[in-house]
Each structure stands twice: as structure tokens, then as C-alpha cells.
Amino acid sequence: MANKSTADKVATIQKGYALEGATIELGAAIVDGELHKEAPVRLPLSMMNRHGLVAGATGTGKTVTLHMMAEQLSAAGVPVFLADIKGDLSGLATAAAGSDKLAKRTESIGQAWSGKTFPVEFLALGGDGDGIPVRATITSFGPILLSRVLELNDTQESSLQLVFHFADKNNLELVDLKDLRAVIQFLISDEGKETLKELGGLSKATAGVILRELVTLEAQGMERFFGEPEFDTAELLRTAPDGRGVISCLELPTLQTKPMVFSTFLMWLLADLFEDLPEAGDLDRPKLVFFLDEAHLLFNDASRAFLEAITTTVRLIRSKGVGIFFVTQTPKDVPADVLGQLANRVQHALRAFTPEDAKALKATVSTFPVSDYDLEETLTSAGIGEAVITVMNERGAPTPVALTRLRAPESVMGPSAVELVRSTVAGSALLAKYGTAVDNVSAYEKLTGKAAASTGAAAPGQPPSPSPEVFVPGNPDPTAIDDEARRIEEEILGRPSSRQPSTGQPDGGSVPPAPARRQAPQSGSMMDDITGALGGVLGSGLKSMARSMGTQLGRELLRSVFGTSSRRRR
């Protein structure tokens, strides 16, 4: 390849990123060691559902990149989901203060900077933190994802699918861990030994192993993540009253030592969205952009069924208007079948201190188009806040590779004050819906004959009301909650809503009734037996066929590609 002048290289980048529609501004190109603010690097908003990868060594600025992208997506009216693993992203709710150093950087890349706040909804897995509790029922979570949390092998995973099949067939609602434990204890008891034999592929020894793993999970305090009211993933699709997209920030303060748990829960959120959202085709902007942090944890020691389910979800959810950005250290962390679907690439610096690092560096370079850069040298010498970028342009072709100095976020790059977070949560419309755990009659009560436990306590640490300066996503009035839920169901999810229109008369702010119990699974049909025996992955194929035929039977009885089964789809 003939040597090109600096001017020619800059012209190539300028032409490659001359986009017509709405964009996310990423920064300015660095060519031959010099910054060129006349060569902006940007990402078409219409192509963000083609998925992406944000990668780089620890400490190179990946979190700040997510922060900056989330701000612009919100400003463009696109809802965003972020997992706040280190606790830094709550700063999106607080305007940043300027400084001489910041002004110099932003002026150098042509960024018109001003401190801003953004509409943030704070969530907490199982209420483990200050945010709105996010829970899933065991039956909705499904056997494939639960097998990941329990770290079961392939044989044990297949056996767990049979347990779920037995519970579905016999109207034994699996809401929390004690329900699943009760079903397994029944199957290995004298009373249930004949039923255990009938299941065929489930041995007493394997059932005992699964039971021990459940007890271990409960001993670690994981039971709080499963239960009711179950979080409706449609809540992630909301916009603020001023039209900006709500940024849903899931705090994970105590789960850094349990990465398998939070990474699998993130996949449940995606799987639930995948099943709920209608086909959307090509949109001028995505319905949601989902940043999946610590993505390598999803794939470590994953079963074949789990990997196939992830690949299918990533491939098909694009047409439903959802963009996924995997965040990890190197492209090598992501399986080839998934990596091949990530069209937008933001690669921060890599290190080459060990032979393994050197192999990862070469593998990363091989995933980029041919460019005017020596990428091995560029990727090991890039500074903090710089990244090598190539994205998909509006015609579906890759843009030129560009070393880019990235834009600075306009909100605080760090945590917001605890008081602000708690005040925002206290004023959220979601608190009345999800803040208090409930324990309805389910498999445990049916098998043991015991009454349901009393309703759990309200979420702790709530100030009486938010301050006027704090943005509150939604409105705490119950009629407004129902109106927003109905709008999401009808306009975004494309399904008829069973909620009655409000009369416009507030009821004094009383807490709305608990969500209706989901319908019990149909039992005794031949389709139940076939689906349960074939397992989760083949069952998903049957579900797709049933949906294409428009049969209600298929929607009610068959589980999804991940083995999930939401009450909203029954």
C-alpha cells in the first residue's frame, strides 16, 4: 500500500464519517500523532441496533465511553440500560463542573461542552442497594439461565429442565427458590419417587445435587433476587416528559464477587425483551440501547445451549429495535458467532506485557478493516480517553478506522450523592409497583400445605419526597403509572392493554393493588410432554413455529430460546 500524506488520511476519515442522519458524536481523529478537530468521528443513530463492542484494558476509559454515549442517546430520545458495576455511573444524574483542563480538552476536539443532568432511573438487583428492586420469578428465569447461576453441568441442566416441565404440567408455580426446592424435595421423597421415575431423565442423585446447589445459593443471600412482583422489562423503554430517553442504571454494589449472578440476570432482561417486543424493521433510532458490561463473564464455561441462545438473541433482537453493546477487554472474549454481529467497534488501548497479551493484541488487530494505521503500535500506545473506532455507516458499510480522542461527558464522572439517589428513588413511579415484595400461594404452599408468608417490608432508606431539583422519571400517582404502562404496551410493545383508561381523577396517591397473579400453566396436554422432554433449545424452535402460525396454544405452553416464560406471555 502506497504511503499517503497526512492530508489524504484526514480526508479519508472526513469522507468516511460524513453522515446525513442523526449521529452520536464520539470525538475527533488523531492522524500521524496530531489531533484534527476538523475530522469528527461519529456513529449513525440508525445503525446502533447493529450492535457493538467497547473493549480495552482495565483503566483505559471504557466506563467513561459508556457514560458519554448514554448521555447522547438520552438526549436523542433513546432509552438506555447500564449496569453500574463500580458505582460510577450514578453521576449521570448530576451536572459536571467545568475546569480549565476540561475546557482545553473539549475545545481541542470541537466539543461545545456544558454541564448537564440526565433522567436516570436507579434500579437494584433484588433491592440490594438504594434503587428500585428488580426481581424475576423462577419460572420466568427458566432452567437454562438458572443452570448458569447454579453452575450446573450439561447433564444437570437437562435434569433441571425436566423439573421445570413437571412444575409447569402440574400447576406448581415456581416464584422463588423455596418453590423450586419444594418441588425437588417432593420428587426425591417417598411420595414422589414414582413421579421421579416417570420423568425418565432425572435421577435421584442429580436432583440431590441441584437441591444442594439451591441451598448454597440461599445461604449466600441470593434468594432476594427471585420473587414477586416481577420486573416488567417494558419499564426500560420509557422516555422522560421532555422527550429524553430514561437511563436505567442497575446498581450492583455487593455483586462484584458474584459475577455469574449479575451477568446472567442481564441476559434474562435481554431474553425477556426479545420475547416481548414486536418486529420493528429498520428504524431511524433504536427503541433501546443495552450496554452489557463484563461481557466475558457470560461466555466463560458456558454450555452449548446457553451459547446458542445468546447467539440467537443477538442475531434476532436487532430487528426488534434493540442495540446491544458488549463491554469487555478484548474481542477474543466474545465467541466468533457473536463477534461477527458487532458492527460498531470502540477499542481502547491494550497491553502487551505477557505472551497471552501479545496473542490477544494480534487477534484484536485481525478483526479491524485494513487501515492507514499500524494498529499494533496504535493500540499499545493510545492514551486514556482515546480509542480506535470503526462503525457501520448509513449504507451498511464499515467506516475508515480512526484513532479518536473521545468526547468528555457532561455529567459527573463518578457517583452522585447518596441523598440524591435516594430522593430520586423515593419519587419514582416504579417504587409503588416494585418496592414491596409479595409472597403469594405457589408451589411451596401447595406441596407443604403451609400458608403464604406475610408481605415483605417496604424498600428501606426512602426519604419522604424528592427535592424540586431532582428529576423523577414518571409520576408517583397510580393513574399516571397505569397510563404510562398502557402507552408502552400499546405503542411500543404493540399488544393490546388490559388496563382501563384513567378518569383523570387522582385517588390521593394510594398504592395500586399488587399485580394480578399470572395464569397457571395448562396441564395434561401432549404438547406439554413433548416440549418438556425435548428441552429448552428445541422448545424454542417449536415456539417460533407456533408463533408464525398465530396459535395461542404455542404462546402459552412453550418456553423461549432461553427457557424463560413470562407471566405476560401466558
Side-chain angles (χ1 to χ4, degrees):
M1 181 170 57
N3 290 331
K4 295 170 64 175
S5 67
T6 298
D8 287 341
K9 295 175 184 178
V10 171
T12 297
I13 292 173
Q14 288 175 323
K15 182 179 178 181
Y17 291 91
L19 306 170
E20 296 179 0
T23 62
I24 299 297
E25 299 293 329
L26 298 176
I30 301 172
V31 179
D32 292 337
E34 295 183 3
L35 182 64
H36 294 268
K37 66 179 179 181
E38 73 277 13
V41 177
R42 37 175 77 107
L43 197 169
L45 203 56
S46 61
M47 290 293 156
M48 289 199 74
N49 66 339
R50 265 57 173 187
H51 310 319
L53 178 74
V54 178
T58 301
T60 54
K62 297 191 299 294
T63 301
V64 178
T65 298
L66 308 188
H67 194 130
M68 174 265 292
M69 293 174 70
E71 288 181 346
Q72 294 188 64
L73 285 164
S74 174
V78 178
V80 179
F81 175 86
L82 296 167
D84 192 5
I85 294 174
K86 296 189 288 289
D88 294 340
L89 293 171
S90 64
L92 283 155
T94 305
S99 67
D100 292 341
K101 182 179 179 181
L102 178 62
K104 183 177 179 180
R105 177 188 176 90
T106 55
E107 192 280 330
S108 70
I109 62 175
Q111 177 183 359
W113 186 93
S114 63
K116 296 176 184 175
T117 62
F118 294 85
V120 182
E121 187 76 78
F122 295 105
L123 308 175
L125 203 53
D128 187 14
D130 293 315
I132 304 296
V134 174
R135 306 179 189 89
T137 61
I138 290 290
T139 195
S140 174
F141 207 68
I144 297 178
L145 292 177
L146 188 60
S147 295
R148 283 288 285 170
V149 174
L150 297 175
E151 300 185 53
L152 303 181
N153 61 32
D154 289 351
T155 300
Q156 293 159 354
E157 180 182 310
S158 298
S159 297
L160 186 61
Q161 291 188 36
L162 291 175
V163 174
F164 272 72
H165 163 63
F166 169 77
D168 286 349
K169 183 178 178 181
N170 290 277
N171 296 337
L172 296 172
E173 301 90 342
L174 302 178
V175 173
D176 50 27
L177 288 179
K178 75 176 185 299
D179 290 320
L180 182 57
R181 189 178 68 241
V183 170
I184 297 174
Q185 286 173 332
F186 169 78
L187 289 172
I188 62 178
S189 68
D190 291 339
E191 184 183 359
K193 61 184 179 182
E194 291 303 318
T195 303
L196 186 68
K197 288 181 182 179
E198 292 173 6
L199 286 176
L202 178 62
S203 70
K204 186 172 183 178
T206 301
V209 171
I210 298 172
L211 186 60
R212 287 195 296 274
E213 293 298 330
L214 286 174
V215 172
T216 301
L217 200 66
E218 288 180 302
Q220 295 173 346
M222 298 295 106
E223 74 279 357
R224 75 185 72 178
F225 306 139
F226 298 101
E228 291 183 315
E230 181 178 88
F231 187 77
D232 187 343
T233 49
E235 311 287 8
L236 304 179
L237 304 173
R238 295 178 302 141
T239 54
D242 60 5
R244 291 182 297 170
V246 171
I247 301 173
S248 298
C249 187
L250 180 68
E251 56 178 316
L252 302 161
T254 64
L255 285 180
Q256 294 188 41
T257 58
K258 301 179 181 68
M260 190 73 75
V261 174
F262 78 72
S263 63
T264 309
F265 257 88
L266 297 187
M267 205 64 229
W268 170 73
L269 291 172
L270 270 180
D272 198 69
L273 281 167
F274 172 70
E275 290 300 314
D276 257 8
L277 288 170
E279 292 292 322
D282 290 326
L283 305 173
D284 59 355
R285 64 192 63 204
K287 292 181 179 179
L288 172 72
V289 173
F290 194 105
F291 289 95
L292 214 163
D293 209 350
E294 302 291 344
H296 63 282
L297 299 171
L298 278 176
F299 308 111
N300 291 346
D301 302 319
S303 68
R304 180 178 178 182
F306 188 76
L307 290 175
E308 288 177 350
I310 293 176
T311 304
T312 300
T313 301
V314 173
R315 181 182 297 121
L316 299 180
I317 204 170
R318 177 191 69 78
S319 65
K320 300 191 174 192
V322 176
I324 307 171
F325 276 70
F326 290 83
V327 185
T328 187
Q329 295 201 0
T330 74
K332 191 178 176 183
D333 295 333
V334 181
D337 287 345
V338 176
L339 186 64
Q341 300 175 59
L342 310 184
N344 303 306
R345 309 286 291 280
V346 180
Q347 178 67 58
H348 288 263
L350 292 174
R351 310 298 179 222
F353 298 145
T354 68
E356 279 299 311
D357 290 343
K359 288 173 60 177
L361 175 62
K362 289 183 179 296
T364 299
V365 170
S366 69
T367 64
F368 279 88
V370 174
S371 73
D372 295 325
Y373 293 88
D374 179 343
L375 285 181
E376 285 197 30
E377 178 183 349
T378 300
L379 285 173
T380 52
S381 61
I384 296 173
E386 297 176 353
V388 172
I389 292 174
T390 180
V391 301
M392 184 177 284
N393 67 20
E394 293 158 326
R395 296 180 291 104
T399 58
V401 175
L403 175 62
T404 306
R405 181 162 297 168
L406 298 169
R407 288 168 61 97
E410 296 180 313
S411 54
V412 168
M413 291 184 286
S416 288
V418 174
E419 294 77 13
L420 185 145
V421 173
R422 290 178 177 172
S423 182
T424 303
V425 171
S428 171
L430 302 187
L431 187 61
K433 296 173 68 176
Y434 303 109
T436 302
V438 296
D439 189 3
N440 294 302
V441 173
S442 52
Y444 172 79
E445 288 78 22
K446 290 182 177 181
L447 290 172
T448 63
K450 296 180 180 179
S454 60
T455 299
Q462 302 162 19
S465 62
S467 63
E469 296 81 12
V470 174
F471 172 82
V472 177
N475 188 313
D477 177 55
T479 58
I481 297 173
D482 284 341
D483 287 344
E484 176 69 359
R486 185 170 55 258
R487 185 191 70 80
I488 290 173
E489 286 183 307
E490 295 175 347
E491 297 179 14
I492 299 179
L493 299 183
R495 66 188 187 215
S497 175
S498 61
R499 294 175 172 84
Q500 295 299 317
S502 65
T503 60
Q505 311 223 342
D507 60 3
S510 60
V511 177
R517 290 292 296 167
R518 61 194 182 287
Q519 298 174 8
Q522 303 290 326
S523 63
S525 73
M526 182 181 297
M527 188 64 75
D528 272 275
D529 296 331
I530 294 173
T531 307
L534 291 178
V537 176
L538 186 53
S540 69
L542 293 175
K543 182 169 186 176
S544 298
M545 287 169 42
R547 281 189 164 177
S548 67
M549 295 164 57
T551 63
Q552 182 65 26
L553 178 66
R555 284 193 292 271
E556 289 183 347
L557 299 184
L558 304 183
R559 287 182 173 270
S560 75
V561 68
F562 269 107
T564 58
S565 179
S566 172
R567 67 185 184 277
R568 298 183 302 279
R569 297 189 294 273
R570 287 180 176 268

